[in-house]
Amino acid sequence: MKCNCNFHFFNDNSMAFVHLFLIIGLATSASCIEETNNVIERLALRLEATEREYKREISAMKEKMAVMEDNFLKKEKEMIQKINELGEKFERNDDVIDSEQNSESEALKQRRSFKEVRDAVETEVAFYATHSKHDVTHLGDNQIIAFNQTVTNIGNAYNVHHGAFTAPVDGTYVFHVTLMGTLHDAANKFYSAFIDVDDIAYSRFWIVPYDQSSHMFVIELKSGNVVSVKNARVDDGIVGQHYSSFSGFLLYQHSYAPAIFGK
């Protein structure tokens, strides 16, 4: 009988402990669940804050990228505009170069054409004259010294009878005079003469008796201008026979009207 009673008592105590443990376990579980829920809530809040921060950063980055894109498009537009301007500038330069080259080509053609025409119409003019007498004396004031003997007279522009050269064409001419003078009055120590173009003296010179003096000059003449050598004082003279001479030639003929002579 005792044994049975003790066993029954033991079983009652065990059940009590089981109930106690169950109560403690349940309380502990509830506490853990609540703590877990708190942790989850805190994590959720932190995740929401982090998400909002990320969204703000992403939005800021998008704005920066939009600004960068606008700047890039502006720079690209400016570069394209500059490239177009440079292209237009190079095209204008090419046009100018082509125009200059064409102008130079036209100028060369004109010069070549002018030379061909000039070569075709160039008049040959050259003369050299002296005097047949050894002593040519008692020359008058402003008297033409007529060199009456020609060695060369290409174009027949020099007249031995008048002692004058008449320009056959408009052009640039070269003349040269050499004189050996004599004096009628021994008291005088010089001889004077000049080269005359249409009654205008263009070249004067002095000559010591029985010494030679030379002058050369280049001048533009119109057709019909007359060139001669004149004595400057009464009764002076020259030594002829190649001691004194008058010569000239056409340097080149003008294809345009030269300036009026004497202006």
Side-chain angles (χ1 to χ4, degrees):
M1 292 298 294
K2 284 184 177 180
C3 292
N4 292 334
C5 289
N6 289 335
F7 178 77
H8 183 265
F9 175 75
F10 177 77
N11 288 338
D12 290 339
N13 289 335
S14 296
M15 292 299 294
F17 279 115
V18 170
H19 285 290
L20 179 61
F21 283 130
L22 288 174
I23 292 170
I24 293 171
L26 290 172
T28 302
S29 296
S31 176
C32 288
I33 290 170
E34 183 179 0
E35 183 65 25
T36 300
N37 290 333
N38 291 334
V39 170
I40 290 172
E41 289 179 1
R42 287 196 298 271
L43 288 174
L45 292 173
R46 188 173 297 175
L47 287 173
E48 289 178 2
T50 302
E51 184 179 4
R52 287 193 298 271
E53 183 65 25
Y54 284 162
K55 286 181 178 180
R56 284 195 296 270
E57 291 180 357
I58 291 171
S59 178
M61 290 179 67
K62 286 182 177 179
E63 291 178 358
K64 288 181 180 180
M65 290 180 67
V67 172
M68 291 175 64
E69 185 177 3
D70 290 340
N71 292 334
F72 175 78
L73 292 175
K74 289 179 181 178
K75 292 292 183 182
E76 183 181 24
K77 185 177 180 180
E78 291 175 358
M79 289 180 66
I80 292 173
Q81 184 176 358
K82 288 182 178 179
I83 290 171
N84 292 333
E85 290 176 355
L86 288 173
E88 292 176 357
K89 183 177 180 180
F90 285 135
E91 288 179 359
R92 288 195 298 270
N93 290 338
D94 290 340
D95 292 340
V96 170
I97 291 172
D98 292 340
S99 177
E100 291 177 350
Q101 289 176 347
N102 291 333
S103 298
E104 290 179 358
S105 178
E106 288 298 324
L108 288 173
K109 288 180 181 178
Q110 291 178 0
R111 286 197 294 271
R112 189 179 299 112
S113 175
F114 168 75
K115 182 179 182 303
E116 290 173 355
V117 172
R118 178 184 158 187
D119 290 343
V121 301
E122 188 76 59
T123 302
E124 293 185 355
V125 180
F127 75 97
Y128 171 83
T130 185
H131 206 288
S132 59
K133 293 177 61 177
H134 184 275
D135 294 316
V136 181
T137 59
H138 302 294
L139 295 171
D141 183 21
N142 291 330
Q143 179 183 339
I144 293 175
I145 302 174
F147 296 88
N148 64 359
Q149 186 178 35
T150 57
V151 176
T152 303
N153 194 10
I154 300 172
N156 294 315
Y158 179 76
N159 188 312
V160 294
H161 302 292
H162 298 97
F165 172 86
T166 303
V169 294
D170 297 352
T172 299
Y173 292 81
V174 180
F175 295 95
H176 186 271
V177 177
T178 298
L179 293 177
M180 176 180 282
T182 61
L183 295 173
H184 175 69
D185 186 352
N188 294 322
K189 296 182 179 180
F190 60 86
Y191 171 82
S192 178
F194 57 92
I195 301 172
D196 178 280
V197 180
D198 288 346
D199 297 323
I200 299 174
Y202 275 85
S203 178
R204 294 182 178 273
F205 47 103
W206 303 106
I207 305 170
V208 177
Y210 299 102
D211 197 359
Q212 288 177 310
S213 180
S214 296
H215 266 217
M216 183 182 75
F217 77 117
V218 181
I219 190 168
E220 289 187 21
L221 297 179
K222 292 176 64 177
S223 176
N225 287 143
V226 177
V227 183
S228 59
V229 182
K230 290 185 177 181
N231 180 59
R233 192 173 54 190
V234 175
D235 278 338
D236 286 328
I238 65 168
V239 178
Q241 293 183 342
H242 304 296
Y243 289 98
S244 299
S245 63
F246 180 29
S247 61
F249 60 90
L250 173 63
L251 182 62
Y252 57 85
Q253 184 174 342
H254 294 165
S255 61
Y256 58 90
I260 297 176
F261 185 83
K263 284 193 172 182

